[in-house]
């Protein structure tokens, strides 16, 4: 790594530390430390700082930023570092104004990954003392080690997922001079391929073990799974996306999950805690998928398989990957059922509506999207869905309004305008038609979520 490139990276590190108050490290491909800012102690649960950095570096794939957390719950942002390419003086590649040297781009054939920029540790959710005690029990720490661990966890900063993903996009742009879409980044970090999801097929379940299921990311480190039971409304939204087969929304949901306290279902062991949470998640997702049309026998067979796979996991990373695969598998099966149940044109219409809830939607827009006559499309949609496109749009916007009321700081007037209800009295009328209460009444009870729906799957 040449001096000019290293100086550029040092400048980036200082800027990031000022903004996020986390330690930053530059490592080579083997995880050997090249530079750190500021110098400070690493997680005492590792034998050494070099061991921890080496473990983090092992999971670099391509040039995508990764958000990883270890089996000790703390998280790190890992951004692969491109080598400084050798180019001609008249190159058209982007120029770093600080060094007057061409910056690498991910498309450039001369770019190699020569290490990583690592930022962390941080938490994106409050870690309760019970989980830290579980880690101490799992690793049978001495009293001195316990004191060091408590001191370490006390000083780890809490940073929301949204800020971390924004930091990843910003660092990526600094290094590659190319914008990265946040949805694409989330998709990559969830290990969900854009075209299709690696799935477990029902006819192969009896022959699969948990090690086979996890082979795609066999050595992946632990990323703490989201906890659904602390916020009933977030749980309801998550399960609604499963029930409706809305894979893209499920990916976006990951970014919007709020910073809150991690769930505790076992105070004696972190691994047992993760297994208990994983089993609860599989159970809820199974019921949501059945509501979405997945055959009950298939759903229960899949549920049994995933619960057994969770029990066979040897570390929290495997538990997380198993529940992640479970979510992906069930949402794909709901999607398959929809494709069989609805025509291609109706599926296109539903997708267009989901994607344009915050924009004006006219029947002619839907007709253009499906290449059908507007009247014929309306008749087809009502025949298959049970209501007209206009009514369906209203229903989806009211569902979206309920999310905004429960999870955002927007006023009712702002929510009404955002969702294209430009007359607030009309918004109130439509909201009450589909929920039985006015927006103000719903807002008053939002801390309890949707009283009639939460937990009833």
């Amino acid at each position: 790594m040449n001096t000019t490139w290293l100086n550029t990276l040092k400048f980036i590190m200082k800027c990031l530390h000022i903004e996020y108050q986390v330690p930053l490290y530059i490592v080579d491909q083997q995880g050997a430390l090249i530079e750190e800012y500021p110098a400070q102690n690493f997680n005492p649960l590792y034998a050494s700082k070099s061991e921890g950095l080496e473990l983090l570096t092992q999971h670099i794939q391509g040039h995508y930023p990764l958000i990883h957390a270890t089996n000790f719950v703390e998280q790190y942002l890992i951004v692969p570092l491109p080598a400084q390419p050798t180019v001609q003086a008249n190159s058209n590649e982007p120029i770093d104004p600080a060094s007057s040297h061409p910056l690498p781009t991910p498309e450039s054939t001369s770019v190699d990954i020569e290490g990583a920029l690592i930022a962390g540790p941080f938490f994106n959710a409050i870690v309760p003392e019970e989980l830290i005690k579980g880690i101490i029990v799992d690793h049978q720490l001495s009293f001195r080690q316990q004191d060091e661990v408590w001191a370490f966890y006390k000083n780890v900063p809490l940073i929301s997922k949204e800020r971390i993903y924004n930091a990843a996009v910003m660092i990526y742009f600094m290094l590659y001079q190319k914008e990265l879409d946040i949805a694409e980044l989330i998709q990559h970090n969830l290990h969900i391929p854009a075209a299709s999801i690696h799935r477990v097929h029902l006819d192969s379940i009896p022959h699969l073990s948990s090690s086979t299921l996890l082979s795609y990311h066999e050595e992946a480190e632990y990323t703490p799974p989201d906890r659904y039971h602390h916020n009933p409304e977030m749980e309801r939204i998550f399960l609604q996306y499963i029930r409706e087969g809305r894979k893209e929304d499920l990916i976006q949901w990951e970014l919007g999950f709020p910073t809150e306290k991690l769930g505790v279902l076992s105070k004696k062991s972190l691994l047992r805690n993760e297994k208990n949470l994983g089993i609860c998640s599989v159970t809820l997702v199974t019921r949501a998928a059945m509501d979405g049309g997945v055959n009950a026998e298939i759903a229960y067979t899949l549920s049994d398989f995933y619960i057994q796979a969770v029990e066979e996991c040897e570390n929290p990373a495997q538990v997380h990957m198993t529940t992640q695969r479970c979510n992906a598998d069930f949402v794909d099966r709901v999607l398959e059922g929809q494709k069989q149940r609805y025509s291609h044109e109706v599926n296109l219409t539903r997708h267009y509506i989901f994607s344009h809830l915050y924009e004006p939607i006219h029947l002619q827009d839907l007709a253009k999207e499906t290449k059908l006559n507007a009247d014929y499309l309306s008749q087809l949609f009502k025949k298959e869905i049970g209501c007209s496109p206009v009514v369906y749009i209203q229903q989806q916007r009211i569902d979206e309004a309920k999310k905004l009321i429960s999870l955002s700081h927007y006023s009712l007037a702002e929510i009404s305008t955002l969702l294209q209800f430009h007359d607030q009295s009309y918004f109130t009328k439509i909201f009450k038609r589909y929920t039985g209460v006015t927006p103000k009444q719903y807002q008053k009870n939002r801390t309890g979520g949707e009283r009639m729906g939460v937990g009833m799957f």
Side-chain angles (χ1 to χ4, degrees):
M1 185 176 293
N2 64 54
T3 304
T4 303
W5 184 224
L6 182 58
N7 287 337
T8 299
L9 294 176
K10 288 180 180 179
F11 176 75
I12 291 174
M13 291 169 72
K14 291 181 180 179
C15 293
L16 292 171
H17 178 70
I18 291 172
E19 176 65 23
Y20 296 96
Q21 295 298 304
V22 294
L24 293 114
Y25 306 90
I26 296 175
V27 297
D28 63 19
Q29 285 182 302
Q30 287 70 47
L33 181 62
I34 297 174
E35 189 69 35
E36 63 179 318
Y37 183 85
Q40 65 181 59
N41 294 331
F42 209 70
N43 188 335
L45 290 166
Y46 292 100
S48 64
K49 182 184 295 186
S50 59
E51 178 194 60
L53 293 174
E54 182 180 347
L55 284 171
L56 291 170
T57 310
Q58 287 176 1
H59 305 289
I60 297 175
Q61 296 179 3
H63 56 81
Y64 274 101
L66 300 173
I67 299 171
H68 276 311
T70 70
N71 285 326
F72 308 130
V73 182
E74 92 269 53
Q75 296 188 332
Y76 295 86
L77 171 59
I78 307 170
V79 185
L81 279 177
Q84 186 74 16
T86 301
V87 294
Q88 301 298 323
N90 61 353
S91 169
N92 291 324
E93 303 233 6
I95 302 295
D96 174 13
S99 64
S100 297
H101 284 277
L103 283 171
T105 63
E107 295 84 358
S108 174
T109 56
S110 61
V111 174
D112 295 316
I113 301 302
E114 64 171 0
L117 174 63
I118 299 176
F122 56 86
F123 297 136
N124 62 27
I126 300 169
V127 179
E129 291 185 0
E130 289 85 354
L131 287 189
I132 302 175
K133 290 176 182 177
I135 293 173
I136 290 172
V137 171
D138 286 346
H139 296 276
Q140 300 180 342
L141 302 180
S142 67
F143 288 117
R144 180 178 178 180
Q145 290 172 318
Q146 290 180 33
D147 290 340
E148 293 175 348
V149 167
W150 282 112
F152 168 77
Y153 280 102
K154 182 179 179 181
N155 293 316
V156 173
L158 185 66
I159 306 175
S160 70
K161 286 185 180 181
E162 184 176 8
R163 289 193 73 208
I164 290 302
Y165 279 116
N166 285 331
V169 170
M170 179 177 66
I171 297 170
Y172 184 87
F173 183 80
M174 288 178 176
L175 297 177
Y176 293 97
Q177 295 293 289
K178 182 178 183 293
E179 292 186 9
L180 180 64
D181 183 69
I182 288 183
E184 181 184 359
L185 178 60
I186 295 171
Q187 194 166 272
H188 179 77
N189 275 266
L190 288 178
H191 313 297
I192 302 176
S196 63
I197 297 176
H198 181 78
R199 300 178 52 227
V200 179
H201 294 285
L202 187 63
D203 56 5
S204 64
I205 283 177
H207 310 291
L208 288 177
S209 65
S210 61
S211 59
T212 305
L213 174 65
L214 296 165
S215 62
Y216 184 68
H217 290 284
E218 187 173 7
E219 298 298 326
E221 288 194 327
Y222 171 53
T223 302
D226 294 310
R227 310 295 184 241
Y228 311 122
H229 61 282
H230 281 292
N231 189 323
E233 183 67 11
M234 287 301 287
E235 176 189 283
R236 188 191 70 79
I237 293 169
F238 165 74
L239 295 176
Q240 181 180 335
Y241 289 157
I242 296 289
R243 191 179 299 112
E244 296 179 358
R246 293 163 65 174
K247 182 166 61 176
E248 293 179 2
D249 287 328
L250 191 64
I251 294 171
Q252 291 288 353
W253 177 91
E254 164 72 10
L255 176 61
F257 198 89
T259 299
E260 53 181 28
K261 195 172 183 179
L262 296 182
V264 179
L265 293 184
S266 174
K267 298 180 180 180
K268 295 183 178 179
S269 168
L270 177 64
L271 178 58
R272 184 67 260 166
N273 185 73
E274 298 306 313
K275 287 184 177 181
N276 290 347
L277 288 167
I279 291 169
C280 290
S281 176
V282 171
T283 302
L284 290 173
V285 167
T286 300
R287 293 175 180 175
M290 289 170 60
D291 289 343
V294 175
N295 177 272
E297 187 64 29
I298 293 176
Y300 283 131
T301 303
L302 280 171
S303 177
D304 291 344
F305 167 71
Y306 280 113
I307 289 175
Q308 292 168 13
V310 166
E311 282 295 346
E312 293 175 13
C313 291
E314 298 178 353
N315 57 59
Q318 292 181 345
V319 176
H320 177 52
M321 290 297 173
T322 303
T323 54
Q324 201 173 69
R325 290 292 176 79
C326 175
N327 298 344
D329 199 356
F330 272 114
V331 79
D332 253 10
R333 290 182 186 275
V334 173
L335 277 170
E336 287 178 3
Q338 288 178 353
K339 289 177 181 177
Q340 296 171 3
R341 187 162 64 248
Y342 302 136
S343 65
H344 175 66
E345 290 78 10
V346 168
N347 279 321
L348 276 179
T349 303
R350 293 174 71 247
H351 184 270
Y352 184 92
I353 291 170
F354 290 146
S355 302
H356 295 80
L357 287 177
Y358 292 85
E359 305 167 28
I361 303 176
H362 304 291
L363 188 57
Q364 291 300 327
D365 299 326
L366 303 177
K368 183 178 180 182
E369 180 73 12
T370 57
K371 298 180 174 60
L372 293 178
N373 174 272
D375 291 337
Y376 177 73
L377 173 62
S378 185
Q379 294 172 9
L380 179 65
F381 193 92
K382 187 171 184 178
K383 179 181 177 182
E384 295 188 18
I385 302 296
C387 64
S388 69
V390 173
V391 171
Y392 190 79
I393 292 168
Q394 286 182 347
Q395 292 173 343
Q396 299 310 313
R397 282 180 169 156
I398 295 305
D399 277 345
E400 192 72 10
K402 290 192 292 185
K403 298 172 196 173
L404 292 175
I405 291 171
S406 299
L407 305 172
S408 77
H409 298 292
Y410 289 119
S411 68
L412 295 179
E414 289 172 328
I415 292 173
S416 172
T417 302
L418 281 171
L419 292 171
Q420 304 300 310
F421 293 98
H422 299 297
D423 183 337
Q424 195 168 352
S425 61
Y426 180 66
F427 170 61
T428 300
K429 177 182 176 181
I430 299 300
F431 192 97
K432 187 172 183 179
R433 177 186 299 173
Y434 293 114
T435 66
V437 295
T438 67
K440 285 186 178 180
Q441 291 171 330
Y442 186 86
Q443 186 180 49
K444 184 177 180 180
N445 295 324
R446 71 184 186 277
T447 53
E450 188 177 9
R451 301 291 184 185
M452 297 177 287
V454 174
M456 302 299 292
F457 301 102

